[in-house]
Amino acid sequence: MSRRGEPVAAMLFALVLGAAPSARAWDAATTHAGLTEQAIYASTLGRILNEALRRPLGLYEPLRINLSGPRGERLGAALGRLGSADGYAPEGGRLPALEWVVAGSVLEETPATRVRHHFYDPRTRGGLDQGGFFSGMNLRMDRALDGSGSVRDFLTGAGFDGTGRPSLTWLEATDNDLGLSWFYEARERAASAVTPRERDAALAEALLVAGAILHVVEDAAEPALVRNDYREEFARSGGPFRRWVAERYGRLGVPAPAAGPIDVTHLREIITNEDETGVADRTAAHFFSLGTLPGTTPIRSPEVKPGEGQRGYVAGEGVAHLAAWRREEGRVVWQLDERCYADYARVLLPLAAHAALSALEHLFRGGLSLSDGKVFVGTEALGAGRLSFYAEDAMGRRRMIGSSDVSGAAAEDELANEPSIEGGAGARRLVAVFRGVDIEGEPIVVSAERRLE
Amino acid sequence: MGGATRLRMNLSTPDRAIKLLLVFLALSSGLGCAAGLAEAPFASRPGSVEPGDLRGPFYGQVLDADSSKPLSGATVLVCWDFVQGSGPNGPSGTLRRVVTTNADGRYTVPRVSVRGQHGHLTRTSLIVYQRGYLAYRSDRLYSDLGPRGDFAQTGNMIRLERFPNEGSHVRHLRFIGAGGPLAQAVAWELQLASDEAARLRPSWQENETGAVGDSRPIDATRLLSADELKAVTGFQGGFTIGKLGDRQTSATYDSVHFRAAGQPEKFDAAIRVFRDADAEAAELRYEELQHDYPEVEEKDEVGDRSLRSREHDILGVVALDKAHGLVVVFTCGVDQCHDHDTVVGLVKRMWPRLGRVTAGRPRPAAPSGGDAEPAPEDPPKVQEKTQEKAQEETP
């Protein structure tokens, strides 16, 4: 090798070294952060923040969060653990609006054991079911050893044991600090709280929780999470598909949704529905995880057969390398390798981003408008709920001036009359907030405001 | 454990017994909180095969890419991120240090202590930010957001490119993150990014098929190579090939930027390819560009329709291909292409290859330094195969 060639060869080697993933250098948070970012950029959230919620910088509006009580302490501690290299770790409790959504998406897996509630098997309609007190003992030991669980949890059996609630249930669980109920509560306060600072804090909280919800939806595109496979995919193998994706794509390489959001009646339909077109339905039916390869599981789909010869690949829907097989001592051994992961990622990442986009649009759907002394429904027909009015003074402080139950109205129809505002009250703006359900019974919060003459 | 009720624990498997012993050792020795250390994905120094140390220290120099002069006062942020968990894992803490480059453009970041940290140190990122320049990340390239392979722990040389006049602040803030430790430094970009975001249309709005997962990115690199460009223009220098910063590659758009190494913008060339749903939509886009571009002269020299345009030292040709629903924009600095006839000649060379831009996977932009071919770390290419053919492939 020439003198000129040697350093070039070393540089090439260094380039390969620099790009090659370390077996232990995984970072699952980057994938979710990237998927959520892509969903945000493809969504109408910026316009909603700018127009409906009057934040001049839209996605880039700086917001300071304020979380209180035991839940606030838990979330504050978790936020303090977020990595600071990608712009979603709060500084002094402040972040631009879009980074709150991304932070929430990462927070949903902080601590990592929250993932136990991200499983949903469309076949059984259940969650993770690979444990129990005794058979889950190994898992609790592993968690104690790697630090994600405690020795106390191991001894008492309180720790993660290989079981979890279905993701659809988790989203609505009252003990989920980042569940749907918190989103609607914060969204309402973002329009109704007394001071501008409180409204900003509530909006930041709503965006944080929205990000966490997006994370759960994105997980429905990961085969192991929809085929009830924790033991083999994660406990024994350390999540190789997740690691491969994180290392190859990072946060910035994750692709954008290739299509516009789907319009669903209920949020859960993005994950699973009767037509079996939900993300979980499609992923579970057409992809493998390590613990659910042919011959290892009673799960029949996808149905594949090895070819002739000693080794090869089987193809699947949209992928040329669905699984690798080889013949060994008279039997067929199946595996997933990097070619499979590359194909899986190419299909599943846009699917996950698309699901996240649909979920984000669903959470912030609809609206109200105020004109001619009346309140009109926006694009989403409303069902029963509570319509409240607030007057905002010159200092930006809001006080309630009326509230009543309403039975709802069709899209673009009149919902109610505006209240009269007493003279000399110093009110500069009128705000209307509806919290209830839409015409399909799905929870919704919408608001509108206008300047008073 | 004791009392009347005996817990039956199956310790018959050796690995479970060993694990149980380890847990009790951890309990008794308090070792459960020690931070582990992952292998660094970067070299210890340029050209070395020896891996670096995630903890640091980090030494390097920041230069202006055009003038090669040292940049003093640039902000250098190093973040050390910890995770916990051996299956799914989550963040367990972070450390960071911010320094600025000295008069020689040099930075020094001392080694960090991981004592007392929970979890494993799995990631160290170095970001350089200077207003007026494209930021630098140790892990990703700005040009195509792909992995960076040339970062070194010590002796690292960083060349910051000037922020282009039409550069995207949305893309820039996505690259470095709009919040976090650099929030104050990037605050001036927030309004610009907000204005830009308000004008942007999501890529899915331009894809009328609405199908998920079946729209492959188009690949503008198939139209013209750096060697061919040099053969036509007579340019003797080298190019760094990357993407333009205005839009991301998608099913409807791709770009190639031939950046002349060590030369000003007048030596650069760039290709933009837009794909629309049909001929009518493509023609509509062509006419929009015809309306927006400066000093336009429609000449119909290439494709179904084509025009010449010029802004100061940049020559441009826009051409329409109705059959493929494509609009091609080729811009070239006057010091590279000299005149419009040269630019038109280059577009004519690209024209027979238009069918290729929608076939297969795109090649990533090369790392800086010469007219490099795609980096070897690209994921294995996926070929279109029938199931029968796929079974013939060897894992």
Side-chain angles (χ1 to χ4, degrees):
Chain A
M1 192 176 292
S2 68
R3 254 184 66 195
R4 186 189 170 88
E6 279 173 4
V8 171
M11 176 61 81
L12 282 175
F13 202 93
L15 284 172
V16 173
L17 176 70
S22 162
R24 294 175 57 200
W26 61 81
D27 187 359
T30 53
T31 309
H32 279 290
L35 288 169
T36 300
E37 273 182 3
Q38 291 286 29
I40 294 167
Y41 289 122
S43 74
T44 56
L45 180 62
R47 186 166 55 78
I48 291 168
L49 290 170
N50 189 268
E51 295 175 5
L53 291 167
R54 284 184 56 237
R55 298 309 199 276
L57 293 183
L59 292 177
Y60 300 93
E61 183 80 12
L63 299 168
R64 186 191 298 275
I65 206 166
N66 182 17
L67 301 165
S68 59
R71 171 177 174 260
E73 286 176 18
R74 289 192 293 271
L75 291 178
L79 284 169
R81 295 201 284 267
L82 296 186
S84 42
D86 291 296
Y88 56 70
E91 284 285 305
R94 280 168 66 97
L95 279 175
L98 84 155
E99 300 293 1
W100 280 118
V101 187
V102 179
S105 176
V106 181
L107 210 66
E108 176 54 36
E109 213 161 286
T110 310
T113 47
R114 285 174 70 90
V115 79
R116 70 193 291 189
H117 303 307
H118 295 180
F119 287 71
Y120 180 79
D121 187 340
R123 293 176 309 126
T124 62
R125 300 185 186 177
L128 176 61
D129 184 20
Q130 287 194 316
F133 183 82
F134 290 113
S135 53
M137 183 168 297
N138 250 346
L139 293 170
R140 293 200 299 278
M141 268 194 249
D142 289 341
R143 298 289 75 74
L145 284 171
D146 73 21
S148 61
S150 71
V151 176
R152 172 183 292 174
D153 286 348
F154 162 70
L155 290 174
T156 62
F160 172 52
D161 62 354
T163 65
R165 279 171 272 185
S167 62
L168 299 181
T169 306
W170 176 240
L171 286 173
E172 296 179 348
T174 53
D175 60 330
N176 177 4
D177 287 341
L178 297 168
L180 275 165
S181 60
W182 289 109
F183 169 76
Y184 292 115
E185 198 269 335
R187 172 65 184 89
E188 184 182 14
R189 280 190 288 114
S192 64
V194 175
T195 67
R197 178 173 285 196
E198 288 170 338
R199 295 194 293 276
D200 275 1
L203 180 56
E205 186 181 338
L207 294 170
L208 184 78
V209 177
I213 293 167
L214 262 57
H215 179 125
V216 176
V217 172
E218 290 157 9
D219 270 350
E222 188 168 351
L225 273 66
V226 296
R227 293 169 71 89
N228 193 35
D229 181 15
Y230 180 89
R231 282 188 179 282
E232 189 61 45
E233 180 76 26
F234 295 114
R236 291 203 180 113
S237 307
F241 178 50
R242 280 195 164 200
R243 288 207 314 269
W244 191 94
V245 170
E247 288 158 2
R248 285 296 182 188
Y249 288 83
R251 171 177 65 89
L252 294 168
V254 170
I262 52 171
D263 197 14
V264 294
T265 306
H266 303 287
L267 183 70
R268 64 175 180 272
E269 291 169 2
I270 298 172
I271 295 174
T272 183
N273 55 55
E274 288 177 356
D275 298 331
E276 298 182 349
T277 57
V279 180
D281 303 320
R282 295 166 66 175
T283 304
H286 298 296
F287 294 89
F288 292 112
S289 64
L290 277 182
T292 62
L293 284 163
T296 65
T297 172
I299 301 174
R300 288 183 177 272
S301 63
E303 288 203 36
V304 293
K305 286 184 193 173
E308 303 294 324
Q310 280 301 110
R311 57 185 68 224
Y313 288 95
V314 290
E317 188 168 299
V319 294
H321 308 91
L322 183 62
W325 59 268
R326 67 181 189 277
R327 286 199 162 80
E328 228 175 55
E329 296 171 354
R331 62 190 182 102
V332 175
V333 176
W334 295 87
Q335 68 183 84
L336 297 175
D337 61 14
E338 289 208 356
R339 282 180 174 159
C340 300
Y341 291 152
D343 280 12
Y344 279 36
R346 184 176 57 82
V347 175
L348 293 174
L349 286 178
L351 197 66
H354 180 250
L357 168 62
S358 302
L360 189 59
E361 290 291 299
H362 182 81
L363 290 173
F364 286 95
R365 70 195 186 287
L368 296 176
S369 62
L370 304 172
S371 66
D372 298 328
K374 298 182 190 302
V375 182
F376 291 89
V377 176
T379 55
E380 195 78 21
L382 298 179
R386 189 106 184 136
L387 180 64
S388 303
F389 293 95
Y390 302 83
E392 178 182 310
D393 64 21
M395 301 299 291
R397 297 179 64 87
R398 295 182 179 181
R399 60 182 174 87
M400 184 183 283
I401 58 172
S403 183
S404 60
D405 290 332
V406 294
S407 56
E412 317 292 349
D413 264 7
E414 181 184 323
L415 181 63
N417 291 323
E418 286 181 8
S420 59
I421 300 178
E422 293 150 14
R428 298 295 179 90
R429 300 189 74 85
L430 175 67
V431 182
V433 182
F434 172 88
R435 182 172 180 182
V437 295
D438 64 17
I439 200 73
E440 304 291 346
E442 182 88 336
I444 190 171
V445 175
V446 287
S447 64
E449 50 189 83
R450 72 172 180 84
R451 181 184 289 276
L452 293 170
E453 302 303 322
Chain B
M1 291 174 247
T5 304
R6 290 175 65 83
L7 288 171
R8 282 192 297 160
M9 301 199 305
N10 181 6
L11 296 177
S12 58
T13 54
D15 64 332
R16 190 178 287 189
I18 291 169
K19 283 180 185 176
L20 189 60
L21 177 62
L22 285 170
V23 169
F24 280 105
L25 282 174
L27 174 65
S28 59
S29 67
L31 288 177
C33 293
L37 187 63
E39 185 178 302
F42 48 79
S44 59
R45 57 191 182 281
S48 169
V49 298
E50 183 188 330
D53 188 331
L54 287 178
R55 294 169 294 184
F58 298 95
Y59 305 113
Q61 190 179 28
V62 181
L63 306 174
D64 180 299
D66 287 334
S67 66
S68 295
K69 288 183 179 171
L71 277 178
S72 67
T75 301
V76 180
L77 166 68
V78 179
C79 303
W80 294 271
D81 294 335
F82 298 79
V83 300
Q84 203 160 43
S86 52
N89 57 74
S92 61
T94 183
L95 296 171
R96 71 276 191 102
R97 180 79 65 103
V98 178
V99 302
T100 52
T101 55
N102 64 14
D104 292 329
R106 297 190 182 276
Y107 63 85
T108 300
V109 180
R111 180 175 163 123
V112 74
S113 169
V114 299
R115 185 184 296 272
Q117 291 297 321
H118 294 276
H120 304 280
L121 173 58
T122 57
R123 183 181 174 208
T124 301
S125 308
L126 186 145
I127 300 169
V128 179
Y129 184 85
Q130 173 77 319
R131 183 167 174 163
Y133 291 85
L134 293 173
Y136 170 96
R137 292 189 68 104
S138 59
D139 54 353
R140 291 274 156 180
L141 297 165
Y142 184 81
S143 55
D144 65 351
L145 305 180
R148 174 182 292 282
D150 61 353
F151 174 74
Q153 181 181 339
T154 61
N156 193 47
M157 200 70 73
I158 296 171
R159 293 179 178 278
L160 290 191
E161 296 182 17
R162 294 233 169 227
F163 199 94
N165 287 337
E166 294 179 17
S168 167
H169 291 278
V170 170
R171 181 184 174 91
H172 198 229
L173 288 181
R174 181 173 172 235
F175 183 65
I176 47 178
L182 292 177
Q184 260 193 321
V186 307
W188 70 279
E189 293 196 56
L190 297 184
Q191 181 70 63
L192 294 166
S194 176
D195 294 341
E196 183 187 330
R199 295 191 300 268
L200 287 175
R201 288 167 62 195
S203 57
W204 60 264
Q205 287 187 341
E206 299 177 8
N207 181 2
E208 292 189 3
T209 65
V212 178
D214 65 353
S215 298
R216 297 184 179 207
I218 54 178
D219 180 9
T221 62
R222 293 171 183 263
L223 290 178
L224 188 72
S225 71
D227 284 343
E228 195 168 14
L229 175 60
K230 290 200 292 187
V232 170
T233 65
F235 181 61
Q236 299 294 316
F239 287 112
T240 301
I241 302 164
K243 303 282 184 186
L244 294 167
D246 51 357
R247 292 171 68 149
Q248 280 185 275
T249 294
S250 69
T252 57
Y253 176 79
D254 192 27
S255 66
V256 185
H257 184 195
F258 298 94
R259 194 180 186 289
Q263 300 289 349
E265 200 178 38
K266 291 187 292 183
F267 284 89
D268 292 357
I271 305 171
R272 288 179 169 87
V273 180
F274 298 87
R275 181 170 71 176
D276 289 287
D278 53 35
E280 189 181 335
E283 188 156 23
L284 194 60
R285 182 187 297 281
Y286 172 86
E287 289 170 353
E288 285 174 353
L289 293 173
Q290 183 180 32
H291 181 265
D292 291 342
Y293 274 28
E295 294 186 38
V296 162
E297 188 184 1
E298 185 152 31
K299 298 277 275 184
D300 294 338
E301 296 163 297
V302 187
D304 297 298
R305 292 174 68 178
S306 74
L307 59 87
R308 298 183 176 194
S309 172
R310 178 169 186 151
E311 184 171 26
H312 302 303
D313 295 324
I314 307 296
L315 307 171
V317 167
V318 181
L320 168 68
D321 174 21
K322 287 184 180 181
H324 293 103
L326 296 174
V327 174
V328 177
V329 179
F330 182 58
T331 51
C332 193
V334 292
D335 285 347
Q336 181 67 235
C337 288
H338 309 297
D339 54 39
H340 264 118
D341 287 340
T342 305
V343 180
V344 170
L346 284 163
V347 176
K348 285 183 176 176
R349 280 176 176 261
M350 297 181 213
W351 217 249
R353 303 165 191 164
L354 284 183
R356 295 188 209 167
V357 299
T358 56
R361 288 169 52 80
R363 289 172 293 172
S368 60
D371 312 339
E373 288 302 312
E377 67 270 20
D378 192 29
K381 293 192 184 299
V382 174
Q383 307 295 324
E384 286 289 346
K385 280 185 168 58
T386 61
Q387 178 155 357
E388 192 180 324
K389 275 193 177 179
Q391 289 175 348
E392 294 172 0
E393 191 174 355
T394 303

